[in-house]
Amino acid sequence: MTAASSKGELPEGWRLDGEQLVLEAELHGWKLTVVTLLSAPWDGPASLRIDPPDDPRAEVGTDGITAELMRSISLAEIRRTARELRARLGRSAADATTAAVLHRVETERDYALMAREYVHLVQQGYRSPVTRLASAWGLSRNTISGRIRRARAMGFLDGPPGRPADRLTEKARRHLEGDDGRVAERARNGER
């Protein structure tokens, strides 16, 4: 997201239209419109539309809607931005949505946050919490799976041998100490 989004403005190209977040962008001369429903139980787009330019004589960078044109649409970035905007508007995709968005996991605190999100999904009964995290964060399943294995090896996750981890360790809880208070304070101040 852009810096403007932290000041209460929407990033360039995004607008709020009732119960919809709408992204309008130019794509090789074509008009891209992506709609995300604020009331949907998922974070991804509900619709995607590609239209020719308003002026039929305008030059476009492709010969119609091509595979190349479709591949140039960054759905992962659109999903990430929509998810962040929904959270900022207080419209997250219900309890099934993970609270933290971690595109990078580098510090011990990052691993503790990620472990907390994973355990939260396990406790909610998700059959594949790794897949849910990968989808929510716009990352590959392999990336998330590797991070979960590393978090367990680093002592942040615990559970029965050969089974998914189902609880945080004391080490993880120490890194998260006071986190609920900070999250509540940021929410009161309108921050993320």
Side-chain angles (χ1 to χ4, degrees):
M1 288 187 12
T2 67
S5 67
S6 66
K7 298 174 186 165
E9 300 170 14
L10 296 178
E12 184 178 341
W14 288 87
R15 64 181 166 83
L16 189 58
D17 186 6
E19 286 293 302
Q20 299 178 342
L21 273 173
V22 180
L23 169 63
E24 294 176 320
E26 183 271 330
L27 188 68
H28 301 288
W30 295 81
K31 295 184 328 185
L32 171 67
T33 306
V34 181
V35 176
T36 300
L37 303 175
L38 291 175
S39 59
W42 62 82
D43 285 316
S47 70
L48 180 140
R49 182 177 171 146
I50 302 172
D51 291 307
D54 291 331
D55 179 0
R57 294 175 303 232
E59 187 175 321
V60 294
T62 64
D63 187 22
I65 298 173
T66 63
E68 175 188 4
L69 181 75
M70 296 297 290
R71 280 192 297 271
S72 70
I73 301 169
S74 177
L75 287 177
E77 182 61 30
I78 291 168
R79 175 185 291 274
R80 262 192 296 274
T81 302
R83 177 173 165 67
E84 290 175 21
L85 291 173
R86 286 181 71 182
R88 200 176 58 165
L89 293 167
R91 302 296 296 273
S92 292
D95 290 338
T97 302
T98 56
V101 178
L102 298 169
H103 304 298
R104 294 193 177 277
V105 179
E106 298 168 340
T107 67
E108 287 199 342
R109 176 155 169 73
D110 293 342
Y111 275 99
L113 287 166
M114 183 199 57
R116 180 181 64 192
E117 298 304 321
Y118 175 82
V119 167
H120 179 71
L121 292 174
V122 168
Q123 290 172 347
Q124 285 184 325
Y126 279 87
R127 294 178 66 193
S128 183
V130 168
T131 301
R132 177 64 186 150
L133 288 174
S135 173
W137 294 343
L139 298 169
S140 77
R141 191 179 185 295
N142 287 342
T143 297
I144 299 298
S145 182
R147 289 177 179 178
I148 295 299
R149 279 193 308 275
R150 177 116 170 94
R152 193 169 187 159
M154 291 172 68
F156 290 101
L157 289 167
D158 197 13
R163 306 276 306 157
D166 60 1
R167 61 189 172 274
L168 294 175
T169 63
E170 182 58 37
K171 178 180 180 180
R173 284 191 291 278
R174 277 194 314 271
H175 280 282
L176 297 170
E177 223 169 67
D179 194 49
D180 292 336
R182 285 191 295 271
V183 169
E185 180 65 26
R186 284 195 305 265
R188 281 192 296 274
N189 293 331
E191 301 170 17
R192 284 232 44 221

